[in-house]
Amino acid sequence: MKKQKLAVVFAALLTMVGFSSCLNGENDPTVSPQELMKVNGVVGYYTFTSAYGYTITPLNMSALSSLDLDSYAIVQYSYDSSLLEWDESKDVTINNVVNIQDGMVFSQAPEEEDGNAPIYTISSSMAQPTYFDKYNLFIPVTYYYKNSSDTDDLTAELNSHDFVLYYDSNDAESTDSRLVLHLRHNVSDTEVQRSDYGREYRHFNIASVLSDYANKYGVSMPDKIVIEYEKSSSSSYENVSSEKVEVEYKSLFEETSSNN
């Protein structure tokens, strides 16, 4: 797979740029990359698999809190680059783990009531939609939320946001080279005043969508994926406009068999 660049900013709590290493001093061979990885193992004994195929195993396993297995996370870790190659499986020190929440995927057209909150944007100069493999899409959503100095209140607020992708096989905007997906944002309490905004990645498994698309158009994969979403410059849902982001797809996967 071609090297992917990604970034995540979650409610202004953490900023990472994927797979950019930091040297801890001019002569220190310790590097600290941050990477999108899959969480594997068993509870209490975790490993993390890279999109590049290698696995990292924490040396400081006891320092990790409970993680969801078979989920995805942004993992920051450190190792000695004078002894280990970046693309080999290795034992490392985990510095931080940020879980990525799953979004739902439906094979149907979105209804008017399926969204009740706007999205500020789903891309920026630092964060673009990206893939772990051809079935797993990660979308950076920047949305309005209510900040709080109380950890429990903030957690409850962030958990009240859901994101859903819709694919309509009868959508006239989709073609045999262009797969159109519709992203909708829903909050559990629309009466809450939300004036802050932060960015995070959401994960969507699009395997069923790709299957439906292939059955419809007789092609194995689209050239591009288009993500349509409801955008607003404020938290008001009354002034939304439809926006689209187009990202490459086929060119990222047609040259490799590792994701077939």
Side-chain angles (χ1 to χ4, degrees), residues 1-250:
M1 182 186 299
K2 297 180 180 179
K3 187 172 180 181
Q4 300 167 355
K5 296 180 181 179
L6 60 149
V8 61
V9 181
F10 182 62
L13 299 176
L14 180 68
T15 302
M16 295 182 177
V17 178
F19 225 83
S20 63
S21 302
C22 289
L23 290 174
N24 298 324
E26 190 172 324
N27 299 314
D28 188 346
T30 301
V31 294
S32 301
Q34 294 109 144
E35 194 174 353
L36 171 64
M37 309 194 86
K38 187 174 183 180
V39 182
N40 299 308
V42 296
V43 175
Y45 185 85
Y46 301 103
T47 62
F48 302 93
T49 302
S50 167
Y52 305 101
Y54 58 83
T55 297
I56 62 172
T57 302
L59 291 167
N60 54 334
M61 196 77 66
S62 61
L64 300 182
S65 57
S66 179
L67 300 173
D68 294 329
L69 297 173
D70 295 322
S71 64
Y72 293 86
I74 298 293
V75 184
Q76 181 188 38
Y77 60 96
S78 300
Y79 66 94
D80 188 337
S81 63
S82 67
L83 301 175
L84 300 165
E85 297 293 331
W86 74 266
D87 58 350
E88 68 174 315
S89 295
K90 49 190 169 287
D91 295 337
V92 303
T93 298
I94 301 296
N95 302 323
N96 208 344
V97 178
V98 177
N99 281 113
I100 297 176
Q101 293 190 53
D102 293 329
M104 293 179 288
V105 179
F106 293 142
S107 294
Q108 63 187 55
E111 302 290 341
E112 183 176 349
E113 62 271 16
D114 289 330
N116 66 6
I119 296 172
Y120 180 74
T121 186
I122 64 169
S123 66
S124 74
S125 60
M126 290 183 63
Q128 299 291 334
T130 190
Y131 312 87
F132 185 85
D133 54 36
K134 71 179 184 180
Y135 300 114
N136 291 286
L137 171 65
F138 295 82
I139 301 177
V141 287
T142 302
Y143 59 92
Y144 299 94
Y145 76 106
K146 182 181 179 181
N147 201 358
S148 175
S149 59
D150 185 281
T151 301
D152 292 338
D153 288 345
L154 179 58
T155 299
E157 164 62 13
L158 296 177
N159 288 337
S160 71
H161 296 258
D162 292 315
F163 294 87
V164 181
L165 270 184
Y166 295 87
Y167 168 64
D168 178 13
S169 61
N170 296 315
D171 191 336
E173 294 190 34
S174 288
T175 68
D176 60 1
S177 63
R178 189 170 181 262
L179 167 60
V180 178
L181 302 173
H182 301 272
L183 180 67
R184 292 296 179 264
H185 177 205
N186 193 282
V187 294
S188 58
D189 187 353
T190 58
E191 299 302 316
V192 174
Q193 298 298 310
R194 296 176 168 91
S195 57
D196 300 289
Y197 60 83
R199 187 189 308 114
E200 62 169 310
Y201 273 102
R202 290 285 175 126
H203 164 241
F204 300 89
N205 186 315
I206 59 172
S208 62
V209 166
L210 292 172
S211 177
D212 290 344
Y213 178 83
N215 289 335
K216 170 76 173 182
Y217 294 101
V219 295
S220 60
M221 59 182 71
D223 292 337
K224 299 178 184 294
I225 287 180
V226 177
I227 304 167
E228 182 271 336
Y229 66 101
E230 296 177 319
K231 178 182 175 67
S232 177
S233 58
S234 73
S235 60
S236 172
Y237 193 65
E238 297 178 357
N239 300 310
V240 297
S241 61
S242 176
E243 299 287 336
K244 295 182 178 69
V245 170
E246 187 174 276
V247 293
E248 295 295 326
Y249 184 81
K250 186 177 181 179

